[in-house]
């Protein structure tokens, strides 16, 4: 009996995922990284956000702080790189554009994972597994990125199949659960911990374990009514998905964001208001650009600052403020003015600040924005034209070509990225070298 | 119903669905000039987009990458120090292609010689000897060079 939200006809999905994505991108352009342990560090070089298999084998966990693994890194010659988002974004869009040749229905789920709807495409291939192998081969040849493909009759099963493909070399990178005999599926699912299921977080995992649900097979075979009464409708839906009843559709067009956040820890601690002004103005510019890209306006801006809670020896302070705007706007000039007004209200001298950020709130469609009799500057057609020009210039000549707030030459608040690789694919000055000698 | 696809033992034909559009909206090109009052420009009907070197140099955008040349071993093939190389990974390397290979952990541009079981990388400059590969050596070709771009000092 199909549960609510389930569609009657059989669905088929693939999840294509790049192995160790950030590390794999770095390796495409730097052969010396091959067969060596490599980690990519988060913003400000804080912790590991991507690990090569060699690093995983050393027992270094995702999110491990860099300062904790420095000793291990020295012993084993681990190469630590700062994250190079320009490179990763370009490589990701190349991989996605290859996948779009295989299916017209692609949901880009994250920078390194895409769901493909495969309904009706099976007849083009000997099997879905052979389609998966073809994708794998083509992405590897065209971009140098290794991918794994999981196929199943729900998104949850496709994701699980991807996990299986990755962990078991015998699948050669492609696992199709939809074409697998039931006994084999049962044996596989009985060997996978329930925490690996999409949407089962650490907290629910613990609750499931207490209730005697340890493996994915246990969860699949648990009565749906019990799942619902004990864990809620989301877990019931997961139960359905594991039984092959698709409840989650592809989301091909990302819904417009209701809130836009831009914030980041500073490369070093900041004390003075002018420095904070500059950081906040830069965050507003970034957020406003995103706002205009989705053709929206916002009606309030939330500004926050705080010190570093991990430096217990320092006096601590954190505060935030919401500044409502007289008219909904997407004009960087107006938003910066409002944000700096708010920052001035909450700023206290005498503290070492670690982080500042802004959140644009009350976002609505620019087309439906309500007019006002009292149009301030920063509203109307002139503003729209100016912002369009600004965005175009920044797109063409690089971010920060034109900005609203005067910025100093040395950005003391900028990200610390001490070991970033060149932007091989997005900057002429950074293209890799071919030796003819 | 006529059927041009190899069906195997499948009996169901794919059902048709609406084509997914990659972008939610389309922009139409504006007219080239403002219309003062009376007559539109007679050229507007013939508007075409200007020539773009990308379309000339790049066959497969997804698989194409650029490299900067250092050295003079390929001058015979008109590839000079400082040139920009257009490298396409989607092309299967064949005898006679100019390729980007990985030699000693570096990217090297050479002409691929592969005939009668002999595999070599040839420079296009008599000052450089060919690189020969023995039976158990592995030659790793990163991509096939499809073009080179030079800029001159002005």
């Amino acid at each position: 009996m199909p549960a609510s939200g389930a569609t009657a006809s059989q669905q088929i999905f693939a999840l294509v995922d790049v192995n160790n994505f950030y590390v794999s991108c770095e390796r495409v352009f730097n052969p010396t990284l091959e067969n060596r342990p490599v980690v990519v560090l988060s913003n400000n070089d804080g912790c590991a956000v991507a690990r090569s298999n060699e690093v995983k084998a050393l027992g270094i966990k995702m999110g491990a702080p860099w300062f904790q693994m420095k000793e291990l890194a020295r012993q084993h010659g681990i190469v630590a790189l700062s994250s190079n988002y320009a490179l990763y974004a370009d490589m990701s869009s190349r991989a996605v554009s290859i996948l779009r040749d295989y299916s017209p229905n692609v949901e880009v789920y994250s920078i390194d994972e895409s769901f493909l709807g495969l309904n009706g495409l099976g007849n083009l291939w000997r099997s879905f597994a052979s389609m998966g192998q073809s994708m794998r081969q083509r992405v590897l040849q065209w971009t140098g990125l290794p991918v794994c493909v999981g196929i199943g009759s729900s998104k949850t099963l496709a994701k699980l199949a991807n996990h299986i493909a990755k962990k078991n070399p015998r699948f050669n990178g492609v696992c199709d659960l939809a074409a697998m005999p039931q006994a084999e599926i049962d044996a596989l699912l009985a060997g996978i911990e329930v925490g690996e299921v999409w949407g089962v977080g650490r907290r629910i995992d613990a609750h499931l374990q207490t209730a005697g649900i340890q493996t994915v097979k246990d969860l699949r075979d648990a009565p749906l009514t019990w799942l619902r009464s004990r864990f809620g409708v989301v877990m019931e839906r997961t139960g359905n998905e594991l039984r092959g009843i698709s409840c989650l559709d592809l989301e091909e067009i990302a819904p417009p964001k209701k809130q836009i956040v831009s914030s980041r820890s500073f490369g070093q601690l900041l004390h003075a208001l002018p420095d904070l002004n500059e950081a906040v103005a830069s965050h507003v510019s970034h957020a406003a650009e995103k706002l205009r890209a989705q053709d929206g306006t916002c009606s309030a801006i939330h500004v926050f600052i705080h010190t570093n809670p991990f430096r217990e020896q320092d006096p601590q302070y954190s505060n935030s403020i919401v500044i409502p705007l007289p008219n909904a706007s997407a004009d960087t000039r107006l938003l910066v003015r409002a944000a700096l007004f708010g920052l001035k209200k909450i700023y206290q001298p005498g503290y070492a600040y670690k982080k500042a950020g802004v959140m644009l709130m009350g976002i609505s469609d620019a087309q439906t924005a309500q007019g006002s009799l009292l149009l301030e500057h920063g509203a109307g057609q002139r503003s729209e034209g100016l912002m369009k020009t600004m965005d175009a210039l920044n797109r063409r000549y690089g971010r920060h070509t034109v900005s609203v707030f005067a910025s100093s030459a040395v950005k003391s608040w900028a990200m610390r990225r001490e070991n970033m690789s060149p932007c091989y694919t997005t900057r002429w000055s950074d293209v890799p070298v071919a030796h003819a000698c | 119903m006529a059927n041009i696809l190899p069906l195997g033992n499948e009996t169901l034909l794919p059902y048709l669905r609406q084509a997914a559009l990659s972008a939610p909206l389309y922009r139409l090109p504006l007219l080239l000039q403002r219309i003062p009052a009376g007559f539109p420009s007679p050229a507007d009907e013939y508007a075409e987009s200007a020539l773009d070197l990308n379309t000339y140099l790049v066959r497969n955008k997804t698989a194409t990458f650029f490299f900067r040349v250092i050295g003079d071993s390929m001058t015979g093939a008109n590839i000079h120090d400082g040139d920009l190389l257009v490298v396409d990974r989607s092309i299967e390397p064949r005898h006679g292609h100019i390729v980007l290979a990985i030699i000693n952990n570096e990217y090297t541009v050479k002409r691929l010689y592969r005939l009668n079981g002999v595999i070599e990388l040839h420079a296009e400059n008599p000052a450089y000897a060919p690189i020969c590969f023995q039976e158990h050596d592995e030659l790793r070709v990163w991509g096939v060079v499809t073009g080179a771009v030079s800029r001159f000092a002005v």
Side-chain angles (χ1 to χ4, degrees):
Chain A
M1 187 178 64
S4 58
T7 38
S9 66
Q10 173 83 359
Q11 304 276 315
I12 188 94
F13 298 94
L15 179 76
V16 186
D17 164 301
V18 184
N19 307 346
N20 311 333
F21 178 58
Y22 296 174
V23 172
S24 298
C25 290
E26 300 285 352
R27 280 180 169 164
V28 171
F29 297 97
N30 185 350
T32 64
L33 297 178
E34 228 144 283
N35 303 317
R36 287 181 68 182
V38 180
V39 286
V40 174
L41 303 176
S42 62
N43 292 340
N44 288 318
D45 295 349
C47 51
V49 288
R51 302 159 300 156
S52 72
N53 289 342
E54 297 81 1
V55 169
K56 289 177 186 173
L58 289 173
I60 291 174
K61 296 270 175 275
M62 197 70 165
W66 171 236
F67 71 88
Q68 276 181 14
M69 58 175 135
K70 266 188 175 157
E71 183 49 32
L72 208 59
R74 209 180 46 77
Q75 282 173 24
H76 297 277
I78 298 178
V79 181
L81 298 167
S82 309
S83 30
N84 181 347
Y85 290 111
L87 173 66
Y88 310 149
D90 176 68
M91 295 301 281
S92 171
S93 76
R94 288 170 189 261
V96 169
S97 87
I98 293 170
L99 298 179
R100 287 193 197 281
D101 286 346
Y102 285 88
S103 167
N105 308 106
V106 176
E107 173 190 344
V108 180
Y109 179 66
S110 71
I111 194 165
D112 60 349
E113 288 174 284
S114 292
F115 283 106
L116 275 65
L118 303 185
N119 290 350
L121 300 172
N123 296 333
L124 299 168
W125 298 90
R126 197 157 30 79
S127 65
F128 279 121
S130 69
M131 178 192 206
Q133 289 296 351
S134 165
M135 288 180 201
R136 218 171 146 245
Q137 208 277 332
R138 186 179 289 181
V139 176
L140 182 65
Q141 186 179 348
W142 290 19
T143 67
L145 298 173
V147 299
C148 279
V149 184
I151 297 158
S153 48
S154 67
K155 283 166 87 176
T156 305
L157 282 174
K159 207 146 172 18
L160 201 64
N162 185 282
H163 172 83
I164 293 167
K166 211 166 262 173
K167 297 288 171 190
N168 302 280
R170 71 186 166 97
F171 285 103
N172 200 17
V174 179
C175 171
D176 180 4
L177 284 175
M180 196 180 278
Q182 193 59 46
E184 199 183 343
I185 297 179
D186 288 355
L188 276 169
L189 298 199
I192 304 172
E193 284 178 28
V194 72
E196 292 295 340
V197 173
W198 191 31
V200 174
R202 207 170 296 169
R203 210 168 47 85
I204 298 174
D205 184 11
H207 286 306
L208 284 168
Q209 301 276 356
T210 341
I213 307 278
Q214 286 175 347
T215 68
V216 182
K217 183 172 179 295
D218 294 340
L219 180 59
R220 185 200 63 188
D221 296 341
L224 291 169
T225 46
W226 179 78
L227 282 178
R228 186 187 184 129
S229 62
R230 187 91 185 247
F231 301 99
V233 287
V234 176
M235 194 50 66
E236 183 195 21
R237 194 177 64 192
T238 301
N240 266 314
E241 288 250 318
L242 283 176
R243 292 166 185 220
I245 300 161
S246 171
C247 308
L248 297 165
D249 289 331
L250 280 191
E251 290 171 22
E252 286 161 56
I253 297 163
K257 293 202 175 80
K258 295 272 187 266
Q259 290 170 343
I260 295 174
V261 180
S262 174
S263 76
R264 190 169 286 158
S265 297
F266 306 128
Q268 60 189 72
L269 298 172
L270 297 184
H271 298 84
L273 185 59
D275 288 341
L276 287 168
N277 274 342
E278 208 182 291
V280 165
S282 155
H283 286 311
V284 173
S285 305
H286 186 216
E289 206 177 309
K290 281 194 192 165
L291 179 65
R292 292 191 293 270
Q294 70 174 51
D295 219 3
T297 60
C298 75
S299 52
I301 184 162
H302 172 109
V303 186
F304 59 92
I305 47 173
H306 64 75
T307 51
N308 185 352
F310 295 106
R311 287 174 59 97
E312 286 166 5
Q313 69 274 30
D314 287 359
Q316 298 294 322
Y317 174 73
S318 73
N319 204 352
S320 70
I321 190 169
V322 174
I323 306 292
L325 305 173
N327 295 296
S329 174
D331 188 311
T332 304
R333 297 169 300 166
L334 192 99
L335 298 178
V336 166
R337 209 158 56 126
L340 296 189
F341 173 78
L343 177 62
K344 203 171 163 191
K345 293 244 174 220
I346 56 174
Y347 170 78
Q348 291 286 335
Y351 292 101
Y353 292 97
K354 177 66 182 161
K355 189 173 190 174
V358 301
M359 179 165 72
L360 306 185
M361 303 159 72
I363 292 175
S364 55
D365 199 348
Q367 305 306 323
T368 60
Q370 213 169 10
S372 160
L373 289 173
L374 307 162
L375 277 182
E376 282 215 35
H377 89 251
Q381 283 190 335
R382 275 175 63 85
S383 149
E384 207 176 296
L386 177 65
M387 290 301 124
K388 271 197 179 126
T389 308
M390 211 168 90
D391 290 344
L393 284 169
N394 285 333
R395 259 198 311 275
R396 186 181 305 177
Y397 299 108
R399 195 162 267 168
H400 310 307
T401 302
V402 190
S403 63
V404 161
F405 195 73
S407 45
S408 62
V410 183
K411 292 193 168 32
S412 50
W413 49 270
M415 253 209 283
R416 198 163 61 210
R417 290 194 286 196
E418 282 167 2
N419 199 16
M420 196 174 97
S421 54
C423 295
Y424 301 108
T425 59
T426 52
R427 278 188 211 162
W428 287 120
S429 58
D430 285 10
V431 300
V433 163
H435 291 271
C437 41
Chain B
M1 193 186 298
N3 176 5
I4 53 165
L5 301 171
L7 272 184
N9 52 10
E10 297 274 351
T11 48
L12 284 171
L13 276 174
Y15 60 86
L16 294 173
R17 30 192 313 157
Q18 201 178 357
L21 301 176
S22 57
L25 54 92
Y26 285 98
R27 295 210 162 85
L28 296 172
L30 290 170
L31 291 184
L32 290 176
Q33 46 193 254
R34 292 177 66 154
I35 304 162
F39 304 100
S41 158
D44 279 336
E45 275 187 48
Y46 303 97
E48 284 187 20
S49 53
L51 293 174
D52 178 355
L53 272 177
N54 280 307
T55 61
Y56 183 73
L57 290 165
V58 176
R59 299 156 47 122
N60 182 343
K61 185 170 167 255
T62 309
T64 297
F65 298 85
F66 301 110
F67 283 71
R68 183 75 62 189
V69 178
I70 291 183
D72 62 355
S73 73
M74 291 300 285
T75 48
N78 281 313
I79 296 174
H80 299 277
D81 189 57
D83 282 0
L84 196 71
L85 284 186
V86 184
V87 181
D88 189 333
R89 289 182 57 103
S90 68
I91 298 168
E92 208 60 56
R94 286 200 316 267
H95 171 72
H97 278 159
I98 294 174
V99 297
L100 193 75
I102 302 177
I103 305 284
N104 299 328
N105 277 338
E106 280 184 346
Y107 300 107
T108 303
V109 54
K110 290 283 181 294
R111 195 180 290 281
L112 177 65
Y113 181 96
R114 187 164 78 183
L115 270 188
N116 307 322
V118 177
I119 299 180
E120 293 175 350
L121 289 177
H122 289 187
E124 295 269 333
N125 180 337
Y128 295 85
I131 304 170
C132 306
F133 293 85
Q134 305 306 319
E135 204 164 313
H136 298 291
D137 292 347
E138 190 196 31
L139 165 61
R140 292 173 60 203
V141 173
W142 195 92
V144 173
V145 178
T146 58
V149 185
S150 300
R151 281 202 308 202
F152 306 117
V154 282

